[in-house]
Amino acid sequence: MAKQLIKGNEAIVKGAILAGCRFYFGYPITPASEIAEAAAYYMPLVGGTFLQGESEVASIQMLYGAASGGVRCMTASSSPGISLKQEGISYSAGSELPLVLIDIMRGGPGLGNIAPEQGDYNQMVKGGGHGNYKLIVLAPNCAQEMCDLTMLAFELADKYRNPAVILADGFIGQMMEPVEFPAPVTELPDKPWAIHVDKNDETRLICSIELEPEVLEAHNRHLQEKYAEAEKNEVRFEEYRIDGADFVLVGYGVVSRVLQTTVDLLRDQGHRVGLLRPITLWPFPGKRIVELTGSVNSFMVVELSNGQMVDDVRLAVNGKKPVHFYNRMGGMVPSPEEIADQAVKFLED
Amino acid sequence: MAEKVLTKAASFYDVYERKSGAHDVTHYCPGCGHGVLHKLIAEAIDDFGIRDQTIFISPVGCSVFAYYYFRVGNIQVAHGRAPAVATGIKRTHPESIVISYQGDGDLAAIGGNNILQAANRGEKITVFFINNAIYGMTGGQMAPTTLIGQRTTTTPRGRTVANEGFPLKMCELISTLESPIYVERVALTDPKNTSKVRRAVRKALRNQIENKGFSFVEVLSACPSGWKMTSVQAKQWMVDNLLPQFPLAVFKDVSKEIEPSERSKVVFSTENVNELLNIPSEENIRTDIPKPLTEHQNPRIILAGFGGQGILMLGLGLAQAGMQAGYHVSWIPSYGPEMRGGTANCHVILSEERIGSPTVSRPTVLVAMNLPSLEKFESQVEPGGLIIYDTSLINQSPKRKDVNVLGIPATEMADNLGNTRIANMIVLGAYIAYTGIMPKDVVVDALPIFIKHKKLIPLNVQAIEKGMAFVDKNNGHA
């Protein structure tokens, strides 16, 4: 076995290149800049292109162009930069362009700070841009997954002709952990719809405008069918000590790492506690939560936000069991002990 | 000649099927310049034989539906972003001919920065800029190029300098940049000027065919509907008002000075990709490392000191060697609120199980390299844990009685080795000797990975040995 101790942010770039991505367009922002820096270093080495765009607004449009040309391409940013990219994200979803976006979330709103937060759940999972679209959103919680889920993001983006997102936080980005890199993808999927600079291009059109309401409705129906297909096939989650649990913690990203330790602490105290970690935030593992509702007494959602994913948990639980919520914001990350204390309070209520 | 005028260019679709309504006419108003410019471009594409290489970018504005007509690769884009999209597709397909066709609101207002930056990067694209001094598509609002005094729906009393400033002159702006190779303003007024437009279109395309650089052609054009005039009045208004404000000229042309070159395709390759990415290929994880005593297993470590003492490097060394020794490991630098307070610190976990929280709230090991670090973290150490501290810099002992303590004059020992900065490796040696978490050879194997200056490796090995010897000499307890 050959492993490399590596920062999550750098593992993303290596994973992307192994997935066949050769085009990076981005704008620097803390705490995501290592991604741009690693891409600037590695892309030209592997025959690819790194270009620092004039803005987030422009960078996502450069991806729009690159994805139109059928290549695997990516950008990375952090929360305020993602807000700026929303225009291009909506257009890319409308024009059905596969591209990969990395969001290393930081504190907000506004300029906020550069510490880890999870306040972008809504703008990525619920759609921060206009229109009836969904993004495929993957939430890694370790350096290995920063690589693996980035590779998966390219695969899913192409499979569904849709933007895919890695939603991580400053913690997972800055942390170093061992990564075992998979073999490079050598065969990329055919994209007959993309502009290939050949005689068939006259039949190809990348477009998000449609003036006829009937036609635009049909396009929207098509998008919804595609999303339904993804919901059927692509839900991913991980469970930890959930067997026999009557109290289930739910969290993603760095929080799920803290919650793993919290589960051990609470189990040591004799509480029957387990952890559900959504890996795909969209499609959300709501069905699994519905199943758990049968056997579990209550849930506790922990987020580094004002409570955004908790809405999806509550929708799935549908009032059948209590859903408790605990959060920190502004860059504060709770300790396992802090969460365990809070959980015990909920358990004793 | 007469025959050519009556024949539709092959670079137009035979039937405009993408268009709703009548499929044999364009959506442009009578007297509008777009149709003429479209025709000049399509004929040039025909004549250059580049139809299967051309990618036409349709922006927001009256030409948003250019893809109804041009029988080429078509990309319809967001308002103002055509130059950014053109950049993306041109960089992925340098063999293509990319045309960014933009109106004045699109190019000079909302996309002002996008066009300037693409021009300044010298993107090898061709930009056609239709300037009719008004927003046509949305019903006649003010454009950045609207003339002073000109009435539009958003300047109902006429544009004023006081409120809206002067009309933006894009050719003049862009020609100040170093990268563009050709910048010209032409006008669709009379046949003579129209033939100049034809020449400019062809020159701008040829520049791209020959892979020379960024070409920008501004085309003054009538908008009878927006100006609320007849076609004849509109043509006269252009001559009387637009031309004096926007003089026709070649603002820049260095295209002759540039040698033509091949437009080559990007080739996707995975050759040597692992090597290029510096991904290790050889087995580097040991499975034969004996476990330490229970009290030293699965350490959660906080390492802290002044910036410059090599604290992060010490943590990195522990994590790298720990990984090679077969442990699950995590390393995280001080981050968030922890960054304040005058200490540099990092958290390292070595574990036989998958690691949960990578942050350490209750360390089993504290390495304190200065007094503030000891004071800050001492109380957090788990009972039965270990505090290692540098007695050269910390002149008081830890107060805790329920933990093991290893004091080592690391800085003094480093000075004796001739390099103060090596104190971190002395501590690393002391830690592995005290706990038996891993043997020296694993750490030595790991050194080249995290120490950049290879010539410093022997000194680092020496320091690790000194640290280990110190612990051995003191029977593990200083």
Side-chain angles (χ1 to χ4, degrees):
Chain A
M1 202 188 295
K3 288 186 180 180
Q4 186 163 39
L5 186 70
I6 190 170
K7 268 193 181 183
N9 279 346
E10 201 183 335
I12 281 178
V13 174
K14 293 191 179 186
I17 290 171
L18 291 173
C21 172
R22 294 291 183 275
F23 293 90
Y24 185 105
F25 301 92
Y27 191 83
I29 183 170
T30 308
S33 291
E34 290 91 350
I35 302 176
E37 287 159 7
Y41 181 80
Y42 287 114
M43 280 298 178
L45 290 182
V46 297
T49 294
F50 169 85
L51 183 62
Q52 183 168 323
E54 62 267 31
S55 65
E56 301 286 6
V57 175
S59 300
I60 184 75
Q61 298 293 349
M62 290 172 183
L63 285 198
Y64 185 99
S68 298
V71 299
R72 287 190 163 176
C73 54
M74 71 181 294
T75 189
S77 188
S78 178
S79 311
I82 297 294
S83 301
L84 285 168
K85 287 187 192 292
Q86 290 294 358
E87 174 193 64
I89 293 173
S90 168
Y91 275 76
S92 302
S95 297
E96 297 190 85
L97 290 175
L99 44 88
V100 171
L101 293 149
I102 315 289
D103 180 4
I104 307 296
M105 292 181 281
R106 58 184 251 182
L111 207 46
N113 64 21
I114 59 168
E117 227 197 45
Q118 295 181 323
D120 288 8
Y121 183 93
N122 281 348
Q123 77 157 333
M124 282 313 211
V125 175
K126 303 295 179 182
H130 61 285
N132 313 305
Y133 73 89
K134 287 285 183 191
L135 303 174
I136 296 163
V137 185
L138 308 172
N141 78 350
C142 59
Q144 182 69 53
E145 282 190 351
M146 289 291 245
C147 167
D148 295 349
L149 293 184
T150 298
M151 294 184 76
L152 178 65
F154 280 100
E155 194 184 305
L156 295 179
D158 281 340
K159 183 174 174 186
Y160 293 96
R161 269 192 73 179
N162 202 66
V165 173
I166 297 292
L167 191 66
D169 52 74
F171 236 118
I172 303 294
Q174 301 292 326
M175 180 168 59
M176 285 181 98
E177 286 183 316
V179 173
E180 192 180 357
F181 286 98
V185 173
T186 51
E187 299 250 334
L188 298 177
D190 283 339
K191 299 181 185 179
W193 52 266
I195 308 275
H196 289 293
V197 195
D198 63 25
K199 62 179 170 31
N200 292 326
D201 276 355
E202 64 181 67
T203 64
R204 298 175 177 131
L205 169 64
I206 307 299
C207 184
S208 71
I209 185 172
E210 179 49 65
L211 289 190
E212 296 298 322
E214 294 90 342
V215 182
L216 186 57
E217 184 181 50
H219 176 60
N220 269 288
R221 296 259 180 241
H222 157 70
L223 292 180
Q224 302 313 311
E225 282 164 20
K226 190 170 83 170
Y227 302 148
E229 196 63 21
E231 279 182 318
K232 209 165 72 191
N233 302 329
E234 308 303 343
V235 172
R236 287 167 172 81
F237 57 87
E238 187 187 24
E239 293 174 344
Y240 181 69
R241 301 183 80 169
I242 206 136
D243 283 348
D246 48 28
F247 184 81
V248 168
L249 297 165
V250 188
Y252 70 96
V254 68
V255 170
S256 67
R257 297 286 296 269
V258 179
L259 290 180
Q260 184 193 318
T261 305
T262 306
V263 167
D264 291 340
L265 290 173
L266 289 169
R267 285 269 180 181
D268 287 349
Q269 294 170 24
H271 298 289
R272 294 196 301 181
V273 175
L275 166 64
L276 173 71
R277 165 171 87 98
I279 295 173
T280 50
L281 298 178
W282 191 87
F284 191 72
K287 272 190 188 157
R288 179 59 186 150
I289 289 174
V290 172
E291 284 167 19
L292 287 170
T293 305
S295 59
V296 161
N297 292 335
S298 60
F299 296 86
M300 176 177 169
V301 178
V302 181
E303 289 182 74
L304 307 183
S305 77
N306 60 333
Q308 302 190 8
M309 183 182 72
V310 67
D311 289 347
D312 283 327
V313 176
R314 288 190 171 127
L315 268 177
V317 172
N318 200 14
K320 291 188 179 110
K321 296 285 163 67
V323 177
H324 305 291
F325 178 64
Y326 184 70
N327 71 333
R328 298 298 301 261
M329 291 178 284
M332 299 302 292
V333 180
S335 68
E337 294 81 9
E338 175 184 343
I339 299 172
D341 289 348
Q342 190 60 47
V344 168
K345 280 181 201 156
F346 288 137
L347 279 163
E348 286 168 355
D349 265 355
Chain B
M1 193 67 197
E3 197 182 37
K4 187 167 184 187
V5 172
L6 292 170
T7 308
K8 192 191 283 189
S11 294
F12 285 133
Y13 290 111
D14 294 335
V15 180
Y16 304 142
E17 282 175 353
R18 285 170 175 162
K19 186 172 174 290
S20 52
H23 288 175
D24 55 349
V25 292
T26 71
H27 70 288
Y28 296 116
C29 310
C32 165
H34 278 300
V36 179
L37 185 58
H38 278 25
K39 178 169 169 285
L40 295 174
I41 293 170
E43 287 173 354
I45 293 172
D46 281 5
D47 292 349
F48 287 130
I50 53 170
R51 182 149 63 89
D52 56 359
Q53 300 155 49
T54 300
I55 300 169
F56 198 98
I57 316 270
S58 309
V60 168
C62 285
S63 51
V64 66
F65 297 121
Y67 65 85
Y68 286 170
Y69 314 119
F70 285 96
R71 189 175 177 176
V72 297
N74 281 288
I75 306 178
Q76 185 277 315
V77 302
H79 199 21
R81 312 295 173 226
V85 175
T87 298
I89 186 84
K90 184 70 182 186
R91 295 293 184 113
T92 54
H93 289 288
E95 76 277 23
S96 66
I97 303 295
V98 176
I99 297 173
S100 180
Y101 184 109
Q102 303 181 256
D104 41 36
D106 190 72
L107 183 137
I110 196 164
N113 191 29
N114 299 121
I115 189 64
L116 278 180
Q117 301 284 343
N120 194 50
R121 285 191 301 266
E123 297 296 340
K124 291 175 176 170
I125 61 172
T126 303
V127 178
F128 296 120
F129 169 39
I130 285 271
N131 179 0
N132 55 17
I134 203 156
Y135 283 58
M137 183 65 136
T138 46
Q141 295 84 8
M142 188 197 74
T145 49
T146 292
L147 303 183
I148 301 303
Q150 189 182 340
R151 291 183 180 201
T152 70
T153 59
T154 51
T155 52
R157 292 165 205 88
R159 177 176 184 162
T160 64
V161 172
N163 205 46
E164 290 93 8
F166 291 97
L168 255 177
K169 298 181 178 180
M170 292 310 294
C171 275
E172 284 81 343
L173 256 179
I174 285 174
S175 59
T176 64
L177 303 173
E178 287 178 59
S179 297
I181 60 164
Y182 170 53
V183 180
E184 179 169 6
R185 182 181 290 126
V186 289
L188 288 165
T189 49
D190 50 33
K192 197 177 148 206
N193 271 333
T194 301
S195 75
K196 284 187 184 168
V197 177
R198 183 174 184 274
R199 271 208 305 276
V201 164
R202 285 169 188 249
K203 186 178 180 66
L205 284 173
R206 190 180 299 111
N207 282 343
Q208 189 176 176
I209 292 167
E210 294 177 350
N211 205 33
K212 285 184 171 175
F214 180 89
S215 299
F216 184 88
V217 177
E218 176 173 343
V219 182
L220 300 182
S221 168
C223 180
S225 302
W227 298 346
K228 301 184 177 24
M229 296 176 192
T230 65
S231 298
V232 177
Q233 289 170 331
K235 283 272 161 65
Q236 194 57 46
W237 192 82
M238 275 179 79
V239 173
D240 295 344
N241 298 282
L242 268 193
L243 265 58
Q245 181 67 37
F246 297 107
L248 305 186
V250 175
F251 290 87
K252 184 175 183 185
D253 185 6
V254 295
S255 48
K256 278 208 183 104
E257 297 162 26
I258 300 162
E259 284 299 310
S261 60
E262 194 79 10
R263 287 173 284 121
S264 48
K265 274 188 158 189
V266 175
V267 181
F268 175 75
S269 164
T270 55
E271 207 183 322
N272 298 331
V273 71
N274 285 49
E275 267 172 66
L276 294 168
L277 291 180
N278 190 29
I279 290 173
S281 53
E282 283 172 33
E283 178 88 22
N284 62 357
I285 307 297
R286 298 264 295 263
T287 53
D288 59 339
I289 308 297
K291 282 187 186 186
L293 294 174
T294 313
E295 60 185 298
H296 297 308
Q297 287 172 10
N298 304 319
R300 302 190 303 273
I301 311 167
I302 290 182
L303 307 111
F306 292 123
Q309 280 184 307
I311 299 297
L312 299 189
M313 175 74 86
L314 170 55
L316 213 52
L318 256 175
Q320 178 70 37
M323 177 188 87
Q324 294 184 207
Y327 294 110
H328 293 265
V329 303
S330 64
W331 172 92
I332 182 132
S334 51
Y335 191 64
E338 282 293 299
M339 283 162 75
R340 295 188 294 271
T343 65
N345 71 72
C346 63
H347 298 183
V348 173
I349 298 176
L350 310 185
S351 173
E352 281 153 43
E353 305 290 333
R354 197 177 78 158
I355 295 167
S357 175
T359 59
V360 175
S361 45
R362 293 200 311 213
T364 60
V365 179
L366 168 64
V367 174
M369 297 292 279
N370 65 4
L371 185 58
S373 299
L374 182 64
E375 288 174 334
K376 183 172 179 183
F377 295 111
E378 182 180 348
S379 64
Q380 297 177 20
V381 179
E382 284 269 19
L386 169 65
I387 295 175
I388 302 177
Y389 73 109
D390 187 348
T391 54
S392 319
L393 300 178
I394 304 172
N395 56 11
Q396 65 187 55
S397 308
K399 297 176 190 71
R400 293 277 296 272
K401 299 297 170 213
D402 59 344
V403 296
N404 298 304
V405 171
L406 170 61
I408 178 168
T411 300
E412 192 188 317
M413 289 166 70
D415 286 340
N416 291 339
L417 284 175
N419 189 337
T420 305
R421 296 168 64 96
I422 209 75
N424 56 355
M425 290 298 126
I426 290 173
V427 170
L428 179 54
Y431 172 69
I432 63 168
Y434 188 90
T435 60
I437 189 103
M438 61 186 119
K440 183 184 94 179
D441 61 327
V442 179
V443 182
V444 171
D445 282 351
L447 284 176
I449 307 291
F450 66 94
I451 290 180
K452 280 197 186 116
H453 301 289
K454 301 301 167 221
K455 62 173 197 230
L456 288 177
I457 288 175
L459 179 65
N460 278 270
V461 174
Q462 223 185 334
I464 290 164
E465 286 167 348
K466 288 279 179 199
M468 295 180 76
F470 177 87
V471 170
D472 291 344
K473 201 174 92 188
N474 294 284
N475 293 325
H477 295 277

